[in-house]
Amino acid sequence: MSFRGLQTEGMDASFPRLLHRTHGFTLGRPASGTVSPDGRRALFLRTRGGEDPVQCLWSFDLASGAETLLADPLLGGAPGEMSDQERIRRARERDLTAGIAGYTTDTAARLAAFTLNGRLYVTDTATGVSAELPAQTPVEDPRLAPSGELIGYVCDGALRVIGADGKDDRLLAAPHGSDVSWGLPEHVAAESMDRHRGFWWSPASDRIIAARVDNSPIQIWYIGDPAHPATPPRAVRYPVAGTANAEVGLWLLALDGRRTRVDLADEYLTTVTWDDTALLAVTQNRPQTVMRIHEIDPATGATTVLREDSDPAWTTIVAGLPAHTADGALLWYADDGDTRRLTADGRPVTPPGLQVFDVLGVDGDTVLLSASAEPTERHLWTWSPRTGPIALTEAPGLYGGSLAGGVTLVQARDLNGDRTTVGDRTIASHATRPPELPPPDLFAAGERGLRTAVLFPAGHVPGSARLPVLMDPYGGSAAQRVLAAADWYRTSQWFADQGFAVVIADGRGTPGRGPRWERTIHHDKRGVVLLDQIDALHAAAQRHPDLDLARVAVRGWSAGGTLAAMAVLRRPDIFHAAVAGAPATDERLYDTHWQERYLGLPQDDPAAYDRSSLIADAPNLRRPLLLIHGLADDNVFPVHTLRLSAALLAAGRPHSVLPLPGAGHLVAGTDIAANLLVLQARFLLDALSPVRDLA
């Protein structure tokens, strides 16, 4: 299959362009909301409009409902462009916006600190007065001390401190060599552990505990730009499965320069918590089968293991934990059969069947958590020793938020839209209103209750036509696709409107259904995942006879791209064409922490890696396959697509490859991203009209 004769004329690209101009209709929404401890105001980020990518910092007064613009990057005169460090950091956090990416505050939320184009700014949240501080540049990850008097930040791998008044900028820890950094997360922490920070202030604001990262043991890979051959390639330290990780140490740093090393022997540092009760660090061993909570003596650096959890498959990192209530109870979690439960001092305090996803905050003795008994939903719950667990939200949807001063900020997304409330008031959204979305059919498919969504072209009348099917999965362990919120279906609905019946299914290994469900993919990331897609397809066709199982296509990106390629390689009897974007085709070429969690060390179990990789399947291709990859992708490197393409060529199997020069794991740029959707739809429709074997 080639692109010759492939026509995109006549296919409407206006919605894909609007989708990408608005970042999926998220620009203009309030984001990153926090409530001040006195419960009087909320801080949040929001762009000025639905197609404006520049985020500003705002304050919302709960008494009056008035908004105040605290910091506007376009009015602040911030010079220059985004630094390389900030660009990489945003990519790790899947953030395509400009302006203020995030902020930190002191305990009272009186000051907020943030960066613009590598420069440090601080804003008085009461007066709205902002000032640039004379910090060394480029500034990374500025964090206000709890007292509000100091700001810690990283510049060129060195950890520094500056007064919030701009005075006394000084060095706390300098790296020895270009491969060493202080106060930053290593690659696997940011990409696989969801830990995007590397230093933490003491509650008294007199010390910092910081990670020292030595990347020199990690092999070097290079990312070049073939579209600009005069530009030197970028060197990246990337730890693939079975190879050396960064050496990560933890140090206590006094403001006068004294240092104390913390003795932690495990391979991975997953998080640090330092509050009024204790200083805690959580570690995992290399196989991730053991997780330990260490209490650290801030005076000596001596450690005591408070808790040790183990699992023959892997232990799980839960965001927001560990934490303490005001009375000192240790908050953690327990994997209890099919349920992940919140614990307080080792005692489960949430009921069986209620899956705990994250702890979002602690206000006194009240804990705010994200939890749900239904996998397609995420609800806000509170727990305290006085009340037990209480559901704050009930209507189907996805809910996030924060809690302080007895006031809860709620960010809600459902099939009707989104809204942000704080207390009994609503914070305005300036997002572009999306076209009305026909409600998807959400149901539990088959004996395993696979959460499945089916979408038809707008206005489709049941029985009026047999429609080609497009499977549109993710299928990986990082995320779900079948959720009770419209955002998850807008792209899929556009594909439906091109003439497909779109089927989306979350199979085994995806989040939302508890620890036992997640661990069904241990030592085999692909087999049961593909089987579940087939089962969901057949259940959808039985429920909706208009689905034509003689014409079935599949598309996906990242883990979804791997699943799409695998579908046509291993089950061409079911799947008749595929588009695979940024697929991981050789599991030995993905990072240590993520890959070894599921497959172990490749030296110990090479068969597990063989089962989950696709290179050996290349001779089996007999259906049209389009491979797409960003050539600057430093998450799933382009080598994955190139090696599969080489294996297909060696086997004499026709296929198509679309390289994207300069593109990373997320494809930015309105025209490129929009036309990419159009090209995929046309490729798949052409491949299914009629279905044919490759020569």
Side-chain angles (χ1 to χ4, degrees), residues 45 140 144 162 188 203 229 289 313 328 375 384 400 404 482 496 566 575 598 637 647:
L45 298 176
E140 293 186 76
L144 271 157
I162 188 173
V188 295
T289 54
S384 78
V482 184
M566 179 175 58
F575 301 97
Y598 307 109
F637 278 71

Side-chain angles (χ1 to χ4, degrees), residues 29-347:
R29 288 182 185 174
S32 302
T34 55
V35 181
S36 62
D38 60 11
R40 298 174 61 183
R41 63 188 182 281
L43 304 178
F44 62 96
L45 298 176
R46 188 183 60 199
T47 69
R48 287 182 174 274
E51 297 188 21
D52 179 357
V54 180
Q55 291 199 124
C56 306
L57 178 63
W58 304 78
S59 176
F60 184 86
D61 184 89
L62 272 67
S64 66
E67 292 183 0
T68 301
L69 177 61
L70 297 178
D72 184 347
L74 298 181
L75 298 179
E81 298 181 353
M82 191 182 300
S83 67
D84 289 340
Q85 293 91 332
E86 184 174 353
R87 188 176 294 108
I88 293 170
R89 183 183 182 88
R90 286 179 187 250
R92 290 275 173 266
E93 298 179 14
R94 310 296 188 259
D95 180 3
L96 295 177
T97 63
I100 303 172
Y103 61 91
T104 65
T105 70
D106 58 343
T107 297
R110 181 181 61 85
L111 297 177
F114 53 89
T115 62
L116 287 173
N117 305 321
R119 297 177 179 267
L120 176 60
Y121 290 81
V122 66
T123 292
D124 187 311
T125 63
T127 65
V129 175
S130 297
E132 180 185 346
L133 302 188
Q136 300 290 308
T137 58
V139 173
E140 293 186 76
D141 197 23
R143 294 190 176 270
L144 271 157
S147 67
E149 297 177 353
L150 299 169
I151 302 171
Y153 70 96
V154 179
C155 177
D156 292 331
L159 182 59
R160 306 183 66 90
V161 171
I162 188 173
D165 58 3
K167 299 177 181 179
D168 194 23
D169 185 10
R170 59 193 184 275
L171 179 69
L172 277 191
H176 297 285
S178 59
D179 291 321
V180 176
S181 67
W182 286 87
L184 294 176
E186 71 276 23
H187 172 90
V188 295
E191 192 63 62
S192 301
M193 301 181 206
D194 203 26
R195 174 169 65 79
H196 299 287
R197 61 187 299 186
F199 73 95
W200 298 261
W201 280 100
S202 69
S205 304
D206 60 347
R207 280 171 293 180
I208 286 176
I209 189 166
R212 179 187 183 274
V213 175
D214 183 354
N215 287 304
S216 61
I218 304 176
Q219 65 184 6
I220 299 177
W221 281 10
Y222 296 92
I223 296 178
D225 186 355
H228 298 87
T231 302
R234 178 166 65 96
V236 178
R237 296 282 187 179
Y238 190 80
V240 299
T243 66
N245 277 308
E247 294 178 356
V248 180
L250 202 56
W251 291 74
L252 286 155
L253 306 176
L255 298 183
D256 61 7
R258 289 177 292 124
R259 300 181 187 177
T260 304
R261 186 182 182 108
V262 178
D263 186 19
L264 297 174
D266 285 329
E267 185 91 2
Y268 297 118
L269 172 69
T270 69
T271 193
V272 171
T273 296
W274 201 348
D275 56 27
D276 290 331
T277 299
L279 169 57
L280 305 177
V282 182
T283 62
Q284 285 178 318
N285 63 348
R286 177 73 183 246
Q288 301 175 57
T289 54
V290 178
M291 181 179 284
R292 299 179 177 92
I293 303 177
H294 308 262
E295 182 171 1
I296 302 170
D297 184 337
T300 66
T303 61
T304 302
V305 176
L306 291 184
R307 182 182 174 105
E308 181 174 298
D309 293 279
S310 62
D311 187 276
W314 68 79
T315 55
T316 300
I317 298 170
V318 176
L321 294 176
H324 292 100
T325 60
D327 61 3
L330 175 64
L331 301 170
W332 190 238
Y333 76 95
D335 281 350
D336 182 10
D338 288 325
T339 308
R340 181 158 295 132
R341 303 173 69 183
L342 179 71
T343 65
D345 285 337
R347 178 178 62 88

Side-chain angles (χ1 to χ4, degrees), residues 1 12 40 253 292 322 374 383 392 397 639-640 643 646:
M1 183 73 182
D12 185 10
R40 298 174 61 183
L253 306 176
R292 299 179 177 92
E374 166 52 47
W383 173 85
L392 301 185
V639 63
H640 287 273
R643 287 196 178 181

Side-chain angles (χ1 to χ4, degrees), residues 352-355 357 371-377 379 381 451 512-513:
L354 181 69
Q355 306 293 348
F357 300 106
S372 181
E374 166 52 47
T376 62
E377 301 172 11
H379 288 285
W381 287 70
R451 293 326 192 254
R513 296 187 63 174

Side-chain angles (χ1 to χ4, degrees), residues 310-616:
S310 62
D311 187 276
W314 68 79
T315 55
T316 300
I317 298 170
V318 176
L321 294 176
H324 292 100
T325 60
D327 61 3
L330 175 64
L331 301 170
W332 190 238
Y333 76 95
D335 281 350
D336 182 10
D338 288 325
T339 308
R340 181 158 295 132
R341 303 173 69 183
L342 179 71
T343 65
D345 285 337
R347 178 178 62 88
V349 295
T350 51
L354 181 69
Q355 306 293 348
V356 172
F357 300 106
D358 309 293
V359 168
L360 303 173
V362 181
D363 184 26
D365 68 352
T366 301
V367 183
L368 181 68
L369 56 142
S370 171
S372 181
E374 166 52 47
T376 62
E377 301 172 11
R378 295 285 187 279
H379 288 285
L380 290 179
W381 287 70
T382 59
W383 173 85
S384 78
R386 297 173 290 103
T387 65
I390 298 176
L392 301 185
T393 59
E394 295 181 355
L398 308 181
Y399 299 87
S402 60
L403 172 66
V407 176
T408 305
L409 184 146
V410 179
Q411 293 173 307
R413 290 173 289 173
D414 57 28
L415 291 173
N416 297 314
D418 66 277
R419 59 198 174 279
T420 300
T421 58
V422 55
D424 59 357
R425 294 188 177 275
T426 299
I427 300 178
S429 172
H430 302 321
T432 299
R433 182 180 295 275
E436 185 174 349
L437 183 75
D441 177 30
L442 303 180
F443 66 100
E447 61 181 13
R448 287 184 291 277
L450 305 171
R451 293 326 192 254
T452 303
V454 180
L455 298 84
F456 289 97
H460 173 74
V461 177
S464 63
R466 297 270 286 168
L467 298 174
V469 181
L470 175 61
M471 301 294 289
D472 195 10
Y474 177 72
S477 54
Q480 297 166 253
R481 285 278 282 114
V482 184
L483 293 163
D487 289 348
W488 266 252
Y489 303 107
R490 301 201 190 283
T491 298
S492 299
Q493 183 60 50
W494 180 81
F495 275 96
D497 290 338
Q498 309 317 303
F500 292 100
V502 177
V503 179
I504 311 168
D506 288 335
R508 281 170 284 183
T510 54
R513 296 187 63 174
R516 188 171 293 161
W517 178 268
E518 294 168 359
R519 293 182 176 108
T520 53
I521 61 171
H522 192 222
H523 289 301
D524 185 0
K525 292 175 63 178
R526 307 299 174 207
V528 298
V529 174
L530 182 57
L531 179 61
D532 285 350
Q533 293 297 313
I534 296 171
D535 288 351
L537 170 65
H538 289 154
Q542 186 174 18
R543 185 179 176 94
H544 298 285
D546 287 355
L547 273 62
D548 184 356
L549 296 190
R551 295 181 293 161
V552 179
V554 56
R555 69 176 288 271
W557 199 269
S558 194
T562 308
L563 180 51
M566 179 175 58
V568 291
L569 287 168
R570 296 186 180 177
R571 295 301 303 269
D573 57 320
I574 301 291
F575 301 97
H576 307 106
V579 172
T585 65
D586 186 339
E587 301 294 353
R588 291 173 174 84
L589 301 180
Y590 202 68
D591 80 44
T592 52
H593 189 271
W594 186 265
Q595 206 67 300
E596 293 168 11
R597 179 187 318 162
Y598 307 109
L599 301 180
L601 287 165
Q603 301 94 315
D604 296 340
D605 191 357
Y609 283 78
D610 293 338
R611 283 192 298 271
S612 295
S613 297
L614 305 181
I615 306 300

